[in-house]
PDB file of all heavy atoms in Angstrom:
ATOM      1  N   VAL A   1     -26.572  12.803   3.787  1.00  0.00           N
ATOM      2  CA  VAL A   1     -25.147  12.626   4.168  1.00  0.00           C
ATOM      3  C   VAL A   1     -25.044  12.342   5.686  1.00  0.00           C
ATOM      4  O   VAL A   1     -24.127  11.658   6.129  1.00  0.00           O
ATOM      5  CB  VAL A   1     -24.364  13.874   3.810  1.00  0.00           C
ATOM      6  CG1 VAL A   1     -22.937  13.870   4.463  1.00  0.00           C
ATOM      7  CG2 VAL A   1     -24.240  13.954   2.379  1.00  0.00           C
ATOM      8  N   MET A   2     -26.022  12.852   6.465  1.00  0.00           N
ATOM      9  CA  MET A   2     -25.885  12.742   7.888  1.00  0.00           C
ATOM     10  C   MET A   2     -26.057  11.269   8.358  1.00  0.00           C
ATOM     11  O   MET A   2     -25.526  10.978   9.433  1.00  0.00           O
ATOM     12  CB  MET A   2     -26.884  13.666   8.592  1.00  0.00           C
ATOM     13  CG  MET A   2     -26.670  15.164   8.256  1.00  0.00           C
ATOM     14  SD  MET A   2     -24.990  15.685   8.458  1.00  0.00           S
ATOM     15  CE  MET A   2     -24.837  15.573  10.170  1.00  0.00           C
ATOM     16  N   ALA A   3     -26.736  10.490   7.612  1.00  0.00           N
ATOM     17  CA  ALA A   3     -26.872   9.070   7.964  1.00  0.00           C
ATOM     18  C   ALA A   3     -25.503   8.428   7.946  1.00  0.00           C
ATOM     19  O   ALA A   3     -25.136   7.603   8.843  1.00  0.00           O
ATOM     20  CB  ALA A   3     -27.823   8.402   7.022  1.00  0.00           C
ATOM     21  N   ASN A   4     -24.683   8.790   6.949  1.00  0.00           N
ATOM     22  CA  ASN A   4     -23.342   8.253   6.827  1.00  0.00           C
ATOM     23  C   ASN A   4     -22.450   8.750   7.926  1.00  0.00           C
ATOM     24  O   ASN A   4     -21.639   7.978   8.512  1.00  0.00           O
ATOM     25  CB  ASN A   4     -22.659   8.586   5.487  1.00  0.00           C
ATOM     26  CG  ASN A   4     -23.336   7.866   4.309  1.00  0.00           C
ATOM     27  OD1 ASN A   4     -24.213   7.022   4.504  1.00  0.00           O
ATOM     28  ND2 ASN A   4     -22.966   8.275   3.149  1.00  0.00           N
ATOM     29  N   SER A   5     -22.540  10.015   8.289  1.00  0.00           N
ATOM     30  CA  SER A   5     -21.673  10.605   9.336  1.00  0.00           C
ATOM     31  C   SER A   5     -22.048   9.996  10.738  1.00  0.00           C
ATOM     32  O   SER A   5     -21.193   9.574  11.507  1.00  0.00           O
ATOM     33  CB  SER A   5     -21.870  12.131   9.425  1.00  0.00           C
ATOM     34  OG  SER A   5     -21.371  12.751   8.259  1.00  0.00           O
ATOM     35  N   ALA A   6     -23.334   9.793  10.962  1.00  0.00           N
ATOM     36  CA  ALA A   6     -23.738   9.091  12.247  1.00  0.00           C
ATOM     37  C   ALA A   6     -23.303   7.747  12.277  1.00  0.00           C
ATOM     38  O   ALA A   6     -22.851   7.208  13.337  1.00  0.00           O
ATOM     39  CB  ALA A   6     -25.249   9.190  12.346  1.00  0.00           C
ATOM     40  N   GLU A   7     -23.287   7.042  11.137  1.00  0.00           N
ATOM     41  CA  GLU A   7     -22.878   5.594  11.101  1.00  0.00           C
ATOM     42  C   GLU A   7     -21.357   5.524  11.381  1.00  0.00           C
ATOM     43  O   GLU A   7     -20.916   4.553  11.992  1.00  0.00           O
ATOM     44  CB  GLU A   7     -23.174   4.997   9.748  1.00  0.00           C
ATOM     45  CG  GLU A   7     -22.996   3.530   9.631  1.00  0.00           C
ATOM     46  CD  GLU A   7     -23.875   2.731  10.606  1.00  0.00           C
ATOM     47  OE1 GLU A   7     -24.882   3.292  11.178  1.00  0.00           O
ATOM     48  OE2 GLU A   7     -23.601   1.508  10.772  1.00  0.00           O
ATOM     49  N   LYS A   8     -20.559   6.518  10.951  1.00  0.00           N
ATOM     50  CA  LYS A   8     -19.106   6.534  11.314  1.00  0.00           C
ATOM     51  C   LYS A   8     -18.905   6.478  12.809  1.00  0.00           C
ATOM     52  O   LYS A   8     -17.994   5.835  13.337  1.00  0.00           O
ATOM     53  CB  LYS A   8     -18.452   7.713  10.640  1.00  0.00           C
ATOM     54  CG  LYS A   8     -18.363   7.641   9.153  1.00  0.00           C
ATOM     55  CD  LYS A   8     -17.669   8.911   8.604  1.00  0.00           C
ATOM     56  CE  LYS A   8     -17.625   8.911   7.056  1.00  0.00           C
ATOM     57  NZ  LYS A   8     -16.928  10.052   6.505  1.00  0.00           N
ATOM     58  N   VAL A   9     -19.738   7.262  13.482  1.00  0.00           N
ATOM     59  CA  VAL A   9     -19.639   7.300  14.999  1.00  0.00           C
ATOM     60  C   VAL A   9     -20.003   5.946  15.569  1.00  0.00           C
ATOM     61  O   VAL A   9     -19.373   5.425  16.442  1.00  0.00           O
ATOM     62  CB  VAL A   9     -20.548   8.403  15.521  1.00  0.00           C
ATOM     63  CG1 VAL A   9     -20.663   8.337  17.070  1.00  0.00           C
ATOM     64  CG2 VAL A   9     -20.039   9.756  15.060  1.00  0.00           C
ATOM     65  N   ARG A  10     -21.076   5.380  15.092  1.00  0.00           N
ATOM     66  CA  ARG A  10     -21.533   4.084  15.601  1.00  0.00           C
ATOM     67  C   ARG A  10     -20.500   2.974  15.334  1.00  0.00           C
ATOM     68  O   ARG A  10     -20.281   2.110  16.211  1.00  0.00           O
ATOM     69  CB  ARG A  10     -22.899   3.668  14.986  1.00  0.00           C
ATOM     70  CG  ARG A  10     -24.028   4.636  15.405  1.00  0.00           C
ATOM     71  CD  ARG A  10     -25.367   4.098  14.949  1.00  0.00           C
ATOM     72  NE  ARG A  10     -26.441   5.077  15.169  1.00  0.00           N
ATOM     73  CZ  ARG A  10     -27.068   5.768  14.213  1.00  0.00           C
ATOM     74  NH1 ARG A  10     -26.592   5.624  12.969  1.00  0.00           N
ATOM     75  NH2 ARG A  10     -27.984   6.579  14.486  1.00  0.00           N
ATOM     76  N   LEU A  11     -19.929   2.948  14.149  1.00  0.00           N
ATOM     77  CA  LEU A  11     -18.967   1.932  13.799  1.00  0.00           C
ATOM     78  C   LEU A  11     -17.722   2.088  14.644  1.00  0.00           C
ATOM     79  O   LEU A  11     -16.935   1.126  14.764  1.00  0.00           O
ATOM     80  CB  LEU A  11     -18.644   1.939  12.323  1.00  0.00           C
ATOM     81  CG  LEU A  11     -19.772   1.577  11.357  1.00  0.00           C
ATOM     82  CD1 LEU A  11     -19.360   1.762   9.901  1.00  0.00           C
ATOM     83  CD2 LEU A  11     -20.103   0.082  11.566  1.00  0.00           C
ATOM     84  N   ALA A  12     -17.467   3.266  15.234  1.00  0.00           N
ATOM     85  CA  ALA A  12     -16.338   3.448  16.142  1.00  0.00           C
ATOM     86  C   ALA A  12     -16.663   3.036  17.575  1.00  0.00           C
ATOM     87  O   ALA A  12     -15.873   3.189  18.436  1.00  0.00           O
ATOM     88  CB  ALA A  12     -15.963   4.936  16.095  1.00  0.00           C
ATOM     89  N   GLY A  13     -17.912   2.461  17.757  1.00  0.00           N
ATOM     90  CA  GLY A  13     -18.296   1.936  19.008  1.00  0.00           C
ATOM     91  C   GLY A  13     -19.056   2.838  19.895  1.00  0.00           C
ATOM     92  O   GLY A  13     -19.293   2.548  21.104  1.00  0.00           O
ATOM     93  N   ASN A  14     -19.653   3.905  19.322  1.00  0.00           N
ATOM     94  CA  ASN A  14     -20.413   4.859  20.118  1.00  0.00           C
ATOM     95  C   ASN A  14     -21.838   5.026  19.525  1.00  0.00           C
ATOM     96  O   ASN A  14     -21.976   5.476  18.389  1.00  0.00           O
ATOM     97  CB  ASN A  14     -19.739   6.161  20.153  1.00  0.00           C
ATOM     98  CG  ASN A  14     -20.379   7.165  21.157  1.00  0.00           C
ATOM     99  OD1 ASN A  14     -21.474   7.013  21.465  1.00  0.00           O
ATOM    100  ND2 ASN A  14     -19.550   8.180  21.568  1.00  0.00           N
ATOM    101  N   GLN A  15     -22.836   4.541  20.270  1.00  0.00           N
ATOM    102  CA  GLN A  15     -24.196   4.615  19.793  1.00  0.00           C
ATOM    103  C   GLN A  15     -24.932   5.944  20.099  1.00  0.00           C
ATOM    104  O   GLN A  15     -26.037   6.154  19.612  1.00  0.00           O
ATOM    105  CB  GLN A  15     -25.041   3.434  20.373  1.00  0.00           C
ATOM    106  CG  GLN A  15     -24.431   2.085  20.088  1.00  0.00           C
ATOM    107  CD  GLN A  15     -24.278   1.872  18.621  1.00  0.00           C
ATOM    108  OE1 GLN A  15     -25.207   1.940  17.792  1.00  0.00           O
ATOM    109  NE2 GLN A  15     -23.050   1.433  18.192  1.00  0.00           N
ATOM    110  N   ASN A  16     -24.258   6.801  20.842  1.00  0.00           N
ATOM    111  CA  ASN A  16     -24.899   7.990  21.322  1.00  0.00           C
ATOM    112  C   ASN A  16     -24.581   9.197  20.423  1.00  0.00           C
ATOM    113  O   ASN A  16     -23.643   9.967  20.610  1.00  0.00           O
ATOM    114  CB  ASN A  16     -24.497   8.306  22.793  1.00  0.00           C
ATOM    115  CG  ASN A  16     -24.801   7.158  23.746  1.00  0.00           C
ATOM    116  OD1 ASN A  16     -25.795   6.484  23.538  1.00  0.00           O
ATOM    117  ND2 ASN A  16     -24.059   7.029  24.742  1.00  0.00           N
ATOM    118  N   VAL A  17     -25.359   9.344  19.430  1.00  0.00           N
ATOM    119  CA  VAL A  17     -25.120  10.355  18.324  1.00  0.00           C
ATOM    120  C   VAL A  17     -26.368  11.014  17.967  1.00  0.00           C
ATOM    121  O   VAL A  17     -27.466  10.425  17.981  1.00  0.00           O
ATOM    122  CB  VAL A  17     -24.434   9.690  17.075  1.00  0.00           C
ATOM    123  CG1 VAL A  17     -25.326   8.676  16.503  1.00  0.00           C
ATOM    124  CG2 VAL A  17     -24.054  10.709  16.068  1.00  0.00           C
ATOM    125  N   MET A  18     -26.268  12.348  17.671  1.00  0.00           N
ATOM    126  CA  MET A  18     -27.371  13.080  17.207  1.00  0.00           C
ATOM    127  C   MET A  18     -26.878  13.992  16.033  1.00  0.00           C
ATOM    128  O   MET A  18     -25.715  14.191  15.843  1.00  0.00           O
ATOM    129  CB  MET A  18     -27.915  13.963  18.302  1.00  0.00           C
ATOM    130  CG  MET A  18     -26.973  15.005  18.940  1.00  0.00           C
ATOM    131  SD  MET A  18     -27.742  16.009  20.258  1.00  0.00           S
ATOM    132  CE  MET A  18     -27.913  14.743  21.494  1.00  0.00           C
ATOM    133  N   VAL A  19     -27.868  14.418  15.215  1.00  0.00           N
ATOM    134  CA  VAL A  19     -27.512  15.228  14.079  1.00  0.00           C
ATOM    135  C   VAL A  19     -28.277  16.601  14.135  1.00  0.00           C
ATOM    136  O   VAL A  19     -29.323  16.697  14.719  1.00  0.00           O
ATOM    137  CB  VAL A  19     -27.822  14.528  12.751  1.00  0.00           C
ATOM    138  CG1 VAL A  19     -26.910  13.319  12.517  1.00  0.00           C
ATOM    139  CG2 VAL A  19     -29.304  14.114  12.635  1.00  0.00           C
ATOM    140  N   CYS A  20     -27.663  17.594  13.522  1.00  0.00           N
ATOM    141  CA  CYS A  20     -28.141  18.968  13.677  1.00  0.00           C
ATOM    142  C   CYS A  20     -28.280  19.647  12.340  1.00  0.00           C
ATOM    143  O   CYS A  20     -27.285  19.775  11.652  1.00  0.00           O
ATOM    144  CB  CYS A  20     -27.298  19.752  14.644  1.00  0.00           C
ATOM    145  SG  CYS A  20     -27.881  21.434  14.952  1.00  0.00           S
ATOM    146  N   GLU A  21     -29.433  20.253  11.998  1.00  0.00           N
ATOM    147  CA  GLU A  21     -29.661  21.034  10.845  1.00  0.00           C
ATOM    148  C   GLU A  21     -29.235  22.461  11.074  1.00  0.00           C
ATOM    149  O   GLU A  21     -29.714  23.108  12.101  1.00  0.00           O
ATOM    150  CB  GLU A  21     -31.098  20.930  10.379  1.00  0.00           C
ATOM    151  CG  GLU A  21     -31.540  21.986   9.401  1.00  0.00           C
ATOM    152  CD  GLU A  21     -30.902  21.927   7.994  1.00  0.00           C
ATOM    153  OE1 GLU A  21     -30.319  20.739   7.670  1.00  0.00           O
ATOM    154  OE2 GLU A  21     -30.869  22.914   7.279  1.00  0.00           O
ATOM    155  N   ARG A  22     -28.449  23.086  10.264  1.00  0.00           N
ATOM    156  CA  ARG A  22     -28.045  24.443  10.506  1.00  0.00           C
ATOM    157  C   ARG A  22     -28.032  25.266   9.198  1.00  0.00           C
ATOM    158  O   ARG A  22     -27.307  26.296   9.048  1.00  0.00           O
ATOM    159  CB  ARG A  22     -26.649  24.552  11.159  1.00  0.00           C
ATOM    160  CG  ARG A  22     -25.499  23.879  10.433  1.00  0.00           C
ATOM    161  CD  ARG A  22     -24.709  24.863   9.593  1.00  0.00           C
ATOM    162  NE  ARG A  22     -23.913  25.755  10.360  1.00  0.00           N
ATOM    163  CZ  ARG A  22     -23.823  27.064  10.198  1.00  0.00           C
ATOM    164  NH1 ARG A  22     -24.456  27.568   9.209  1.00  0.00           N
ATOM    165  NH2 ARG A  22     -23.073  27.772  10.946  1.00  0.00           N
ATOM    166  N   GLY A  23     -29.015  24.858   8.257  1.00  0.00           N
ATOM    167  CA  GLY A  23     -29.113  25.691   7.065  1.00  0.00           C
ATOM    168  C   GLY A  23     -28.264  25.183   5.866  1.00  0.00           C
ATOM    169  O   GLY A  23     -27.323  24.415   6.046  1.00  0.00           O
ATOM    170  N   THR A  24     -28.648  25.623   4.666  1.00  0.00           N
ATOM    171  CA  THR A  24     -28.018  25.188   3.488  1.00  0.00           C
ATOM    172  C   THR A  24     -27.629  26.402   2.652  1.00  0.00           C
ATOM    173  O   THR A  24     -28.433  27.343   2.561  1.00  0.00           O
ATOM    174  CB  THR A  24     -28.937  24.284   2.616  1.00  0.00           C
ATOM    175  OG1 THR A  24     -29.356  23.119   3.372  1.00  0.00           O
ATOM    176  CG2 THR A  24     -28.289  23.816   1.349  1.00  0.00           C
ATOM    177  N   MET A  25     -26.487  26.401   2.070  1.00  0.00           N
ATOM    178  CA  MET A  25     -26.021  27.581   1.254  1.00  0.00           C
ATOM    179  C   MET A  25     -27.014  27.885   0.220  1.00  0.00           C
ATOM    180  O   MET A  25     -27.476  27.017  -0.572  1.00  0.00           O
ATOM    181  CB  MET A  25     -24.632  27.299   0.687  1.00  0.00           C
ATOM    182  CG  MET A  25     -23.505  27.286   1.593  1.00  0.00           C
ATOM    183  SD  MET A  25     -23.285  28.757   2.650  1.00  0.00           S
ATOM    184  CE  MET A  25     -23.055  30.068   1.399  1.00  0.00           C
ATOM    185  N   PHE A  26     -27.316  29.140   0.039  1.00  0.00           N
ATOM    186  CA  PHE A  26     -28.232  29.705  -0.969  1.00  0.00           C
ATOM    187  C   PHE A  26     -27.594  30.850  -1.662  1.00  0.00           C
ATOM    188  O   PHE A  26     -27.727  32.008  -1.222  1.00  0.00           O
ATOM    189  CB  PHE A  26     -29.533  30.071  -0.243  1.00  0.00           C
ATOM    190  CG  PHE A  26     -30.645  30.401  -1.251  1.00  0.00           C
ATOM    191  CD1 PHE A  26     -31.278  29.383  -1.960  1.00  0.00           C
ATOM    192  CD2 PHE A  26     -31.203  31.655  -1.331  1.00  0.00           C
ATOM    193  CE1 PHE A  26     -32.278  29.661  -2.888  1.00  0.00           C
ATOM    194  CE2 PHE A  26     -32.193  31.960  -2.184  1.00  0.00           C
ATOM    195  CZ  PHE A  26     -32.811  30.910  -2.994  1.00  0.00           C
ATOM    196  N   GLY A  27     -26.757  30.593  -2.652  1.00  0.00           N
ATOM    197  CA  GLY A  27     -25.925  31.610  -3.200  1.00  0.00           C
ATOM    198  C   GLY A  27     -24.609  31.691  -2.419  1.00  0.00           C
ATOM    199  O   GLY A  27     -24.256  30.790  -1.646  1.00  0.00           O
ATOM    200  N   TYR A  28     -23.970  32.854  -2.495  1.00  0.00           N
ATOM    201  CA  TYR A  28     -22.696  33.078  -1.855  1.00  0.00           C
ATOM    202  C   TYR A  28     -22.749  33.515  -0.405  1.00  0.00           C
ATOM    203  O   TYR A  28     -21.906  33.155   0.435  1.00  0.00           O
ATOM    204  CB  TYR A  28     -21.821  34.039  -2.646  1.00  0.00           C
ATOM    205  CG  TYR A  28     -21.302  33.532  -3.927  1.00  0.00           C
ATOM    206  CD1 TYR A  28     -21.756  34.070  -5.152  1.00  0.00           C
ATOM    207  CD2 TYR A  28     -20.434  32.482  -4.008  1.00  0.00           C
ATOM    208  CE1 TYR A  28     -21.299  33.583  -6.409  1.00  0.00           C
ATOM    209  CE2 TYR A  28     -19.920  31.962  -5.200  1.00  0.00           C
ATOM    210  CZ  TYR A  28     -20.384  32.538  -6.363  1.00  0.00           C
ATOM    211  OH  TYR A  28     -19.912  32.050  -7.562  1.00  0.00           O
ATOM    212  N   ASN A  29     -23.699  34.324  -0.040  1.00  0.00           N
ATOM    213  CA  ASN A  29     -23.695  34.913   1.308  1.00  0.00           C
ATOM    214  C   ASN A  29     -25.008  34.716   2.043  1.00  0.00           C
ATOM    215  O   ASN A  29     -25.430  35.588   2.754  1.00  0.00           O
ATOM    216  CB  ASN A  29     -23.382  36.428   1.176  1.00  0.00           C
ATOM    217  CG  ASN A  29     -22.092  36.690   0.512  1.00  0.00           C
ATOM    218  OD1 ASN A  29     -22.068  37.333  -0.607  1.00  0.00           O
ATOM    219  ND2 ASN A  29     -20.939  36.233   1.104  1.00  0.00           N
ATOM    220  N   ASP A  30     -25.648  33.649   1.823  1.00  0.00           N
ATOM    221  CA  ASP A  30     -26.919  33.405   2.427  1.00  0.00           C
ATOM    222  C   ASP A  30     -27.135  31.909   2.656  1.00  0.00           C
ATOM    223  O   ASP A  30     -26.553  31.065   2.052  1.00  0.00           O
ATOM    224  CB  ASP A  30     -28.038  33.929   1.664  1.00  0.00           C
ATOM    225  CG  ASP A  30     -29.278  34.334   2.434  1.00  0.00           C
ATOM    226  OD1 ASP A  30     -29.200  34.176   3.654  1.00  0.00           O
ATOM    227  OD2 ASP A  30     -30.313  34.787   1.817  1.00  0.00           O
ATOM    228  N   LEU A  31     -28.013  31.626   3.658  1.00  0.00           N
ATOM    229  CA  LEU A  31     -28.438  30.282   3.970  1.00  0.00           C
ATOM    230  C   LEU A  31     -29.948  30.154   3.930  1.00  0.00           C
ATOM    231  O   LEU A  31     -30.611  31.232   4.162  1.00  0.00           O
ATOM    232  CB  LEU A  31     -27.962  29.926   5.408  1.00  0.00           C
ATOM    233  CG  LEU A  31     -26.465  29.760   5.667  1.00  0.00           C
ATOM    234  CD1 LEU A  31     -26.163  29.676   7.184  1.00  0.00           C
ATOM    235  CD2 LEU A  31     -25.880  28.578   4.928  1.00  0.00           C
ATOM    236  N   ILE A  32     -30.479  29.052   3.604  1.00  0.00           N
ATOM    237  CA  ILE A  32     -31.920  28.823   3.649  1.00  0.00           C
ATOM    238  C   ILE A  32     -32.162  27.554   4.476  1.00  0.00           C
ATOM    239  O   ILE A  32     -31.327  26.644   4.492  1.00  0.00           O
ATOM    240  CB  ILE A  32     -32.489  28.665   2.220  1.00  0.00           C
ATOM    241  CG1 ILE A  32     -33.981  28.760   2.265  1.00  0.00           C
ATOM    242  CG2 ILE A  32     -31.943  27.365   1.579  1.00  0.00           C
ATOM    243  CD1 ILE A  32     -34.611  28.942   0.869  1.00  0.00           C
ATOM    244  N   VAL A  33     -33.245  27.606   5.198  1.00  0.00           N
ATOM    245  CA  VAL A  33     -33.673  26.407   6.009  1.00  0.00           C
ATOM    246  C   VAL A  33     -34.713  25.694   5.281  1.00  0.00           C
ATOM    247  O   VAL A  33     -35.848  26.279   5.088  1.00  0.00           O
ATOM    248  CB  VAL A  33     -34.116  26.778   7.446  1.00  0.00           C
ATOM    249  CG1 VAL A  33     -34.489  25.574   8.255  1.00  0.00           C
ATOM    250  CG2 VAL A  33     -32.968  27.569   8.143  1.00  0.00           C
ATOM    251  N   ASP A  34     -34.539  24.465   4.997  1.00  0.00           N
ATOM    252  CA  ASP A  34     -35.488  23.643   4.293  1.00  0.00           C
ATOM    253  C   ASP A  34     -36.141  22.735   5.313  1.00  0.00           C
ATOM    254  O   ASP A  34     -35.492  21.807   5.779  1.00  0.00           O
ATOM    255  CB  ASP A  34     -34.792  22.762   3.209  1.00  0.00           C
ATOM    256  CG  ASP A  34     -35.792  21.957   2.391  1.00  0.00           C
ATOM    257  OD1 ASP A  34     -36.964  21.847   2.793  1.00  0.00           O
ATOM    258  OD2 ASP A  34     -35.345  21.382   1.324  1.00  0.00           O
ATOM    259  N   PRO A  35     -37.363  22.935   5.677  1.00  0.00           N
ATOM    260  CA  PRO A  35     -38.030  22.168   6.702  1.00  0.00           C
ATOM    261  C   PRO A  35     -38.056  20.646   6.412  1.00  0.00           C
ATOM    262  O   PRO A  35     -38.206  19.817   7.335  1.00  0.00           O
ATOM    263  CB  PRO A  35     -39.436  22.758   6.860  1.00  0.00           C
ATOM    264  CG  PRO A  35     -39.318  24.137   6.253  1.00  0.00           C
ATOM    265  CD  PRO A  35     -38.303  24.040   5.186  1.00  0.00           C
ATOM    266  N   ARG A  36     -38.022  20.317   5.110  1.00  0.00           N
ATOM    267  CA  ARG A  36     -38.037  18.927   4.780  1.00  0.00           C
ATOM    268  C   ARG A  36     -36.821  18.188   5.396  1.00  0.00           C
ATOM    269  O   ARG A  36     -36.878  16.983   5.680  1.00  0.00           O
ATOM    270  CB  ARG A  36     -38.038  18.798   3.236  1.00  0.00           C
ATOM    271  CG  ARG A  36     -39.270  19.355   2.566  1.00  0.00           C
ATOM    272  CD  ARG A  36     -39.139  19.175   1.078  1.00  0.00           C
ATOM    273  NE  ARG A  36     -37.980  19.985   0.517  1.00  0.00           N
ATOM    274  CZ  ARG A  36     -37.623  19.975  -0.725  1.00  0.00           C
ATOM    275  NH1 ARG A  36     -38.328  19.278  -1.636  1.00  0.00           N
ATOM    276  NH2 ARG A  36     -36.622  20.692  -1.120  1.00  0.00           N
ATOM    277  N   ASN A  37     -35.702  18.897   5.586  1.00  0.00           N
ATOM    278  CA  ASN A  37     -34.507  18.315   6.150  1.00  0.00           C
ATOM    279  C   ASN A  37     -34.770  17.768   7.580  1.00  0.00           C
ATOM    280  O   ASN A  37     -34.194  16.742   8.017  1.00  0.00           O
ATOM    281  CB  ASN A  37     -33.381  19.289   6.215  1.00  0.00           C
ATOM    282  CG  ASN A  37     -32.854  19.553   4.830  1.00  0.00           C
ATOM    283  OD1 ASN A  37     -33.222  18.902   3.878  1.00  0.00           O
ATOM    284  ND2 ASN A  37     -31.961  20.545   4.709  1.00  0.00           N
ATOM    285  N   PHE A  38     -35.669  18.384   8.313  1.00  0.00           N
ATOM    286  CA  PHE A  38     -35.958  17.902   9.681  1.00  0.00           C
ATOM    287  C   PHE A  38     -36.556  16.497   9.687  1.00  0.00           C
ATOM    288  O   PHE A  38     -36.330  15.729  10.512  1.00  0.00           O
ATOM    289  CB  PHE A  38     -36.939  18.846  10.435  1.00  0.00           C
ATOM    290  CG  PHE A  38     -36.426  20.260  10.607  1.00  0.00           C
ATOM    291  CD1 PHE A  38     -37.188  21.392  10.305  1.00  0.00           C
ATOM    292  CD2 PHE A  38     -35.118  20.450  11.062  1.00  0.00           C
ATOM    293  CE1 PHE A  38     -36.728  22.656  10.522  1.00  0.00           C
ATOM    294  CE2 PHE A  38     -34.601  21.769  11.244  1.00  0.00           C
ATOM    295  CZ  PHE A  38     -35.420  22.847  10.972  1.00  0.00           C
TER     296      PHE A  38
END
């Protein structure tokens, strides 16, 4: 999904964009970090 979000910024005329991984929901009250996302 982050490729699409970054592209929205670029299409608005700004090439200076970065993306940040902050975990993925794992059940209701927890997050898990999947290193593959990096």
